[in-house]
């Protein structure tokens, strides 16, 4: 019998990387909810929609199609946008857009529908508190701003994306503030979540720590 696993935490804590590895090892499906919000931000930019126009964003979502392939690539209206949605500009725009209640309402409903049959690993900001409050395992991943900036900078360089370290550091600090202080579904640790500080941990160590906490299945 499969369960649902919720992984929450701040930007660049390594949530998606860990979730993908776990999903592959366990034979689960990984749903990167952050990518869904990033797709919304990218689509709004392409359409020239004001990020403060909640009604227009909600209407746009009703016409959008977001999908994932088994390799983890992200598609917006059948276009592979895996690289575009990771650009720094989109990261900051995403934080503003994801604060709108109507945007979150539509995407949360879609995420809950996807996970209804169990066997999903979802990562984001409010999975354990809002999207999957009944998830059998909840993980809250944290890391220092420096550790996250180092990782994000390295990730950009590996993907040949232009990056400025100081700007990335400042943006992560700003993103943390926005995510933790927004009125709708702010970033916070679920009461029954297990906190893991990944600042000085390898990816393998984090995966092993989460696996140790997976409840025995029958």
């Amino acid at each position: 019998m499969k369960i649902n696993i919720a992984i929450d935490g701040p930007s660049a804590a390594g949530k998606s990387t860990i979730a993908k590895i776990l999903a592959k090892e366990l034979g689960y499906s990984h749903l990167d909810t952050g990518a869904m919000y990033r797709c919304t931000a990218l689509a709004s930019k392409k359409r020239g929609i004001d990020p403060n126009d909640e009604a227009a964003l909600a209407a746009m979502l009703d016409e959008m199609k977001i999908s994932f392939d088994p390799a983890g690539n992200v598609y917006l209206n059948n276009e592979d946008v895996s690289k575009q949605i990771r650009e720094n500009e989109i990261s900051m725009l995403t934080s503003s857009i994801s604060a709108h209640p109507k945007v979150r309402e539509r995407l949360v409903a879609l995420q809950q529908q996807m996970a209804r049959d169990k066997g999903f690993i979802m990562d984001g900001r409010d999975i354990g508190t809002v999207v999957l409050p009944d998830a059998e395992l909840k993980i809250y991943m944290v890391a220092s701003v420096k550790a996250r900036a180092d990782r994000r900078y390295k990730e950009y360089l590996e993907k040949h994306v232009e990056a400025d370290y100081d700007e990335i550091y400042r943006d992560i600090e700003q993103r943390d503030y926005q995510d933790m202080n927004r009125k709708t579904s702010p970033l916070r640790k679920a009461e029954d979540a297990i906190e893991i500080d990944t600042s000085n941990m390898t990816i393998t160590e984090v995966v092993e720590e989460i696996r140790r906490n997976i409840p025995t299945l029958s």
Side-chain angles (χ1 to χ4, degrees):
M1 178 181 175
K2 291 185 175 182
I3 64 172
N4 282 330
I5 300 175
I7 301 179
D8 289 306
S11 176
K15 301 183 299 296
S16 294
T17 298
I18 298 301
K20 288 176 184 176
I21 294 172
L22 271 173
K24 185 176 181 179
E25 289 187 2
L26 298 174
Y28 278 33
S29 297
H30 168 234
L31 182 57
D32 182 353
T33 63
M36 298 172 75
Y37 286 98
R38 286 172 177 272
C39 281
T40 305
L42 178 62
S44 70
K45 178 187 174 184
K46 287 186 173 183
R47 296 193 185 194
I49 295 176
D50 186 335
N52 296 311
D53 192 337
E54 183 177 7
L57 291 168
M60 178 190 73
L61 272 169
D62 291 337
E63 302 172 357
M64 277 173 50
K65 178 185 177 184
I66 301 172
S67 57
F68 302 83
D69 67 17
N73 295 311
V74 187
Y75 295 84
L76 173 60
N77 298 326
N78 298 318
E79 176 192 355
D80 186 346
V81 295
S82 304
K83 186 175 180 179
Q84 292 180 62
I85 63 172
R86 300 298 172 184
E87 293 175 358
N88 216 42
E89 179 184 359
I90 298 302
S91 294
M92 296 310 299
L93 185 58
T94 298
S95 188
S96 300
I97 285 177
S98 63
H100 293 300
K102 290 181 180 178
V103 170
R104 301 198 71 84
E105 179 183 300
R106 281 164 170 74
L107 290 180
V108 166
L110 179 58
Q111 293 155 11
Q112 290 174 330
Q113 181 181 3
M114 290 178 172
R116 191 171 298 161
D117 295 329
K118 302 291 186 178
F120 278 83
I121 299 179
M122 284 196 190
D123 66 277
R125 303 292 191 283
D126 60 352
I127 310 303
T129 55
V130 176
V131 182
L132 297 179
D134 59 347
E136 289 83 354
L137 176 61
K138 300 176 185 177
I139 300 295
Y140 190 76
M141 288 175 53
V142 298
S144 67
V145 174
K146 181 181 184 304
R148 287 182 283 145
D150 289 347
R151 293 171 187 169
R152 181 58 55 83
Y153 183 66
K154 181 180 178 182
E155 175 188 347
Y156 284 165
L157 293 183
E158 290 175 347
K159 293 182 178 180
H160 305 290
V161 175
E162 187 176 342
D164 177 272
Y165 182 85
D166 292 335
E167 181 181 356
I168 290 172
Y169 191 101
R170 290 192 300 271
D171 285 348
I172 287 177
E173 286 186 315
Q174 184 180 345
R175 181 81 189 269
D176 284 352
Y177 180 82
Q178 291 176 338
D179 288 344
M180 292 178 181
N181 290 278
R182 67 187 180 209
K183 293 182 179 180
T184 304
S185 299
L187 168 64
R188 63 183 177 84
K189 176 185 173 184
E191 291 183 3
D192 54 347
I194 297 168
E195 183 170 322
I196 301 176
D197 188 335
T198 70
S199 299
N200 299 307
M201 296 175 71
T202 65
I203 291 174
T204 299
E205 289 172 339
V206 177
V207 171
E208 290 177 349
E209 179 65 21
I210 294 176
R211 292 201 66 157
R212 279 195 290 268
N213 286 282
I214 295 177
T216 303
L217 307 180
S218 58

